[in-house]
Amino acid sequence: MADTFRLQKVLDAFRSCLNENKEVYIKYYIVGWQELVSFMNSLGNVFSFISKDVVSKVKIMENFLSGENGSHYVTVQSMVKYELENDLVDLTKRGNHPESGCRTLLRLHRALRWLELFLDRLRTSTEESKTSVMCSDAYNESLAQHHPWLIRKAVDVAFCALPGRDTFFTVMNAGDHTEVVALLGESLPLISEVYQITEDLYAKNSLLELP
């Protein structure tokens, strides 16, 4: 049984994610995601369509990190350089490398944007705000464009079953509403920075649309 989710652990992981050269450590990126999966799972099955995919992608990245070429997978930057130089990425169509590190991390990267947008809406929400609307809006701004119609419709239905705002704040185990909002205010800029550095790196190397 996993430890109870604590928002502080997400903050700690993403704070450890960047080195002094603003390179993204894959090890801590994975830890951050494991905590976010714990967050999604603590709300029941409503996010399972995303969390199951994330868990499988995290496993692939862990295997790269612990594999014989693990030294090339220490940072996102070193992974991109290594895989591109060694033709280990399918750039235009699915081929020999459907589970390349670059492609796998791109899927996590897109999902991270959705969670970042949703948590930011939660941070600035009021008692009247509906979590289903916040989550749908965040999804439509991020992941939706990468999902086929059927999945988008299923997601819409799933979000309708989301618990209220109070449940989300309780699940974060960070004190009262004010303390949760403050901790989100600390965490989200770190997540956003990791996201933006990855986004810029992928854009520079034309990797944002990997098949």
Side-chain angles (χ1 to χ4, degrees):
M1 185 73 180
D3 290 343
T4 308
F5 171 74
R6 290 189 188 284
L7 182 58
Q8 181 67 45
K9 291 183 188 171
V10 174
L11 174 63
D12 294 343
F14 281 96
R15 187 176 275 148
S16 303
C17 241
L18 296 175
N19 66 17
E20 63 277 6
N21 298 319
K22 298 294 187 186
E23 293 172 324
V24 180
Y25 286 122
I26 288 176
K27 174 185 173 182
Y28 293 110
Y29 190 89
I30 287 172
V31 172
W33 256 120
Q34 286 167 333
E35 292 304 330
L36 289 168
V37 166
S38 171
F39 163 66
M40 290 191 279
N41 290 345
S42 62
L43 292 156
N45 292 325
V46 76
F47 289 131
S48 60
F49 71 97
I50 292 177
S51 64
K52 280 179 187 162
D53 189 46
V54 165
V55 167
S56 71
K57 300 286 188 282
V58 163
K59 187 72 196 146
I60 293 168
M61 296 310 298
E62 283 181 318
N63 289 343
F64 278 125
L65 210 47
S66 61
E68 59 186 49
N69 295 310
S71 61
H72 297 292
Y73 290 86
V74 173
T75 66
V76 175
Q77 286 77 2
S78 63
M79 172 190 77
V80 167
K81 184 173 186 291
Y82 170 70
E83 289 199 344
L84 286 177
E85 284 178 356
N86 291 279
D87 296 324
L88 297 172
V89 188
D90 297 329
L91 294 170
T92 52
K93 63 181 195 303
R94 297 293 290 276
N96 299 324
H97 310 289
E99 293 189 341
S100 65
C102 286
R103 181 186 185 274
T104 302
L105 193 107
L106 177 61
R107 270 56 186 174
L108 292 171
H109 174 70
R110 290 169 177 173
L112 187 65
R113 179 64 173 158
W114 159 69
L115 261 181
E116 180 205 330
L117 290 170
F118 173 51
L119 289 173
D120 194 48
R121 281 173 165 80
L122 205 57
R123 182 182 68 83
T124 57
S125 64
T126 64
E127 282 178 39
E128 293 75 45
S129 304
K130 284 189 162 31
T131 54
S132 56
V133 174
M134 291 188 272
C135 211
S136 290
D137 287 349
Y139 175 76
N140 289 331
E141 268 182 52
S142 54
L143 271 178
Q145 59 196 298
H146 306 293
H147 283 167
W149 182 84
L150 266 176
I151 289 181
R152 293 201 303 269
K153 292 312 287 178
V155 168
D156 274 346
V157 173
F159 287 163
C160 290
L162 280 177
R165 179 172 169 265
D166 286 354
T167 303
F168 277 91
F169 281 119
T170 304
V171 153
M172 292 190 186
N173 282 303
D176 62 25
H177 278 206
T178 313
E179 290 168 302
V180 172
V181 167
L183 203 52
L184 281 172
E186 258 188 278
S187 308
L188 287 165
L190 293 169
I191 293 174
S192 179
E193 189 178 10
V194 168
Y195 173 85
Q196 200 53 54
I197 287 169
T198 309
E199 179 81 1
D200 294 344
L201 176 71
Y202 269 56
K204 193 174 94 179
N205 290 282
S206 305
L207 297 173
L208 284 172
E209 299 301 328
L210 290 180

